[in-house]
Amino acid sequence: MKDDEADISAVLSIYQEGLDGGLASFETQAPDWERFDAAHLPAHRFVAVDVVSDAVLGWVAVAPISARAVYAGVVEHSVYVGAAARGRGVGKALMAALIESVTAAGIWTLQAAVFPENTSSLALHRAAGFRVVGVRERIARRDGVWRDVLLLERRSPEID
């Protein structure tokens, strides 16, 4: 992900679009770039760009789950694809780039929290080798409604 204005604007717009749909996160407002940048590891951020129009189609990024050294190989990721690009393999390409990047860096576990109703995200994660490891029941409210999340993880088979 380049830190140029065009990518930043597109990433945050796609993020907000996903939040507005109500199935992506408990959050309702995308952060500003400074907060996004501070929360996500720079080495593992990717955007998918249309080769014809140069438009950003989606993005993926990771955040550390803990500052403790023993968890240095565990990150939580987010993946968002713009509505106009869904169903075209963008999410799959982003996940492949992310998995390659984190594996090369020695990160052994990718995790995500996904609403059970987000069937597209669940299918994408399953196809990328994630498994459901738990359910966090009524973990928080979205728009005043208690919601469950499924905790997913992918353990790298290449890192012992």
Side-chain angles (χ1 to χ4, degrees):
M1 179 181 304
K2 304 182 302 271
D3 286 350
D4 65 32
E5 287 299 318
D7 276 3
I8 290 169
S9 176
V11 163
L12 295 179
S13 178
I14 290 168
Y15 197 173
Q16 188 61 54
E17 179 183 55
L19 297 179
D20 291 345
L23 291 179
S25 174
F26 285 106
E27 299 296 332
T28 58
Q29 184 66 44
D32 61 24
W33 181 250
E34 291 74 25
R35 287 188 337 186
F36 182 98
D37 186 43
H40 296 92
L41 300 175
H44 309 293
R45 301 178 194 171
F46 300 96
V47 295
V49 177
D50 185 280
V51 295
V52 175
S53 70
D54 205 35
V56 174
L57 304 175
W59 61 270
V60 65
V62 301
I65 60 125
S66 175
R68 295 173 58 192
V70 296
Y71 295 113
V74 183
V75 295
E76 181 174 24
H77 76 282
S78 297
V79 58
Y80 285 76
V81 176
R86 293 182 189 147
R88 295 173 37 194
V90 173
K92 183 177 179 179
L94 287 166
M95 291 295 284
L98 178 64
I99 290 167
E100 182 180 332
S101 175
V102 298
T103 301
I107 293 171
W108 56 84
T109 300
L110 279 169
Q111 67 181 39
V114 178
F115 290 139
E117 302 83 4
N118 194 340
T119 56
S120 296
S121 182
L122 291 172
L124 171 66
H125 283 86
R126 285 190 185 107
F130 285 77
R131 64 189 179 101
V132 175
V133 295
V135 178
R136 301 186 81 186
E137 296 177 352
R138 297 172 45 95
I139 190 71
R141 290 182 181 163
R142 166 77 196 234
D143 301 323
V145 177
W146 286 105
R147 301 286 297 271
D148 297 347
V149 295
L150 302 178
L151 184 58
L152 293 95
E153 74 174 23
R154 181 187 185 279
R155 172 71 189 221
S156 174
E158 299 159 18
I159 300 173
D160 292 332

